[in-house]
Amino acid sequence: MRRNWAARLRHGTIDGLRAVTLENERLRVSVLPGKGGDVVEFLHKPTDTDFVWLSPQGLRDPREHLQGAADGVAQFVDHYEGGWQEVFPNGGAPSEYRGARLAQHGEVSGLPWECEVVADSPEEVAVRLSVRTRRLPYRMEKVLRLRSGTTALEIEGRATNESGLPLHAMWGQHIVFGRPFLRPGARIRLPEGVRVIPHESAITPPARRVRAGGPWEWPLVPADGGGTTDLSVVPEPGAPSDIVYLTGFDEGWYEISGDIAMRVEWEASVLPYLWMWQEVGASTGYPWWGRAYTVGLEPFAGMPTDGLAAAVANGTALTLEPYETKVLSLRAEVRV
């Protein structure tokens, strides 16, 4: 029965793409099954705060944008609206694994997912999204659940190797934050004992925020060019772009806070790294053109952002044995 109170579901479209919205008294979360299962709205209703970053290029239906030279990066970036993507089995740059060529953050972030309702009552609503990869023999599914009266989205994800061979993968939650929630001086809090591994080179040469080397102790790290950088503080617009990898989590969680906060909790035994991506206006070429102000805090299995082959080579990739299923529980909660 259609409701306009307590927990409820809505089916509709956003910019021409099929959307499913999970809503309760305090939270509204909108998901695009036809575009990677992307979360494109995470709205705290009492404060009218949406935590997702919306890219300046907006939401684009990949089926309607076929112009331009094709390459393994553009396949993701040209249709990247911000928000929150599931990344599997390749994280970061295009890569080749056992003869399969994988695009940037491919494959599941660019595929349509099946969607079914698994709970629809005033107490809770939930949908199950599922997809099979095309170049590797994997099946993924995730159940997104919202309970009445809460400010927390609960997710249970499953990645299954449908072959009789052991296979590798990178699995990540590409969660990025943007204005108006994100602002200079916003704070990032992590558990004690976390270490910072800088990316090997600057992602937007020549400048970067963190000196190469390490690992360093969170949050005060050597700055490129001397001094220190406090990674727990979101920088001013125009600061150098950078990406670092955080490790040493006994418990997987972080909080990012401005006027209100988001706390994300996950199983560090499955995703032992947290990628921290900062793109706050310094990149003046493709694809940002100086218009981005966003920070990504992305739980991941595998590093760096050089693709699956690099993660296999350095021993950080996830291994799925024949017919094995890996299960991931994740919770994203707004705190006032």
Side-chain angles (χ1 to χ4, degrees):
M1 182 182 70
R2 181 177 171 87
R3 292 183 301 282
N4 59 4
W5 73 92
R8 62 262 201 195
L9 285 171
R10 293 286 186 271
H11 300 269
T13 60
I14 299 176
D15 293 342
L17 287 163
R18 179 190 175 194
V20 178
T21 298
L22 298 85
E23 186 172 1
N24 67 8
E25 304 89 340
R26 301 179 180 182
L27 208 60
R28 188 168 70 229
V29 179
S30 293
V31 182
L32 303 178
K35 186 184 180 299
D38 292 6
V39 175
V40 294
E41 180 185 40
F42 200 111
L43 179 72
H44 181 243
K45 293 161 64 174
T47 60
D48 194 30
T49 302
D50 198 336
F51 287 82
V52 304
W53 178 58
L54 300 178
S55 166
Q57 69 187 18
L59 179 59
R60 298 169 172 175
D61 187 339
R63 297 169 299 180
E64 298 177 357
H65 293 82
L66 303 177
Q67 304 303 314
D71 64 66
V73 173
Q75 184 172 324
F76 178 85
V77 173
D78 285 0
H79 311 115
Y80 176 53
E81 77 284 358
W84 173 352
Q85 286 75 36
E86 193 88 24
V87 174
F88 188 95
N90 183 55
S95 188
E96 183 170 332
Y97 175 71
R98 295 170 69 169
R101 294 187 178 183
L102 302 170
Q104 175 91 10
H105 288 325
E107 294 182 66
V108 301
S109 63
L111 293 175
W113 293 51
E114 297 294 324
C115 179
E116 62 175 315
V117 175
V118 294
D120 186 3
S121 72
E123 290 73 36
E124 66 173 21
V125 290
V127 295
R128 178 184 290 111
L129 306 182
S130 59
V131 68
R132 280 186 168 91
T133 55
R134 307 228 172 130
R135 298 198 170 180
L136 293 175
Y138 284 119
R139 173 182 166 83
M140 295 206 74
E141 67 176 50
K142 56 183 176 182
V143 174
L144 295 85
R145 189 178 309 275
L146 184 61
R147 304 179 194 273
S148 176
T150 72
T151 56
L153 177 69
E154 302 169 37
I155 300 176
E156 182 178 273
R158 292 176 175 266
T160 300
N161 176 3
E162 294 192 316
S163 81
L165 302 171
L167 295 174
H168 295 96
M170 300 173 82
W171 189 1
Q173 303 297 317
H174 194 275
I175 307 171
V176 298
F177 299 93
R179 287 175 164 148
F181 164 69
L182 190 74
R183 55 173 174 76
R187 293 278 177 169
I188 299 165
R189 193 165 72 91
L190 299 176
E192 295 290 333
V194 167
R195 299 183 301 280
V196 180
I197 303 173
H199 192 63
E200 186 176 3
S201 59
I203 60 173
T204 307
R208 60 186 304 173
R209 295 193 71 209
V210 182
R211 194 176 78 202
W216 319 113
E217 293 297 319
W218 169 273
L220 298 177
V221 298
D224 192 48
T228 60
T229 293
D230 187 350
L231 288 176
S232 69
V233 180
V234 175
E236 296 286 336
S241 306
D242 214 341
I243 186 167
V244 300
Y245 312 99
L246 308 173
T247 188
F249 290 89
D250 292 328
E251 296 180 330
W253 65 266
Y254 66 77
E255 289 187 5
I256 179 168
S257 60
D259 296 327
I260 61 175
M262 170 77 86
R263 180 181 174 95
V264 176
E265 301 174 353
W266 74 97
E267 292 173 90
S269 60
V270 182
L271 309 184
Y273 298 96
L274 182 67
W275 294 15
M276 182 178 184
W277 171 51
Q278 298 190 4
E279 180 51 68
V280 292
S283 298
T284 56
Y286 175 82
W288 311 123
W289 309 111
R291 300 186 297 170
Y293 188 82
T294 185
V295 169
L297 292 169
E298 309 167 25
F300 248 93
M303 57 154 283
T305 184
D306 294 333
L308 177 55
V312 171
N314 67 22
T316 64
L318 195 67
T319 299
L320 287 92
E321 298 299 332
Y323 308 108
E324 181 184 6
T325 296
K326 298 284 190 184
V327 179
L328 172 70
S329 294
L330 187 144
R331 176 183 173 93
E333 181 179 10
V334 180
R335 297 191 168 185
V336 180

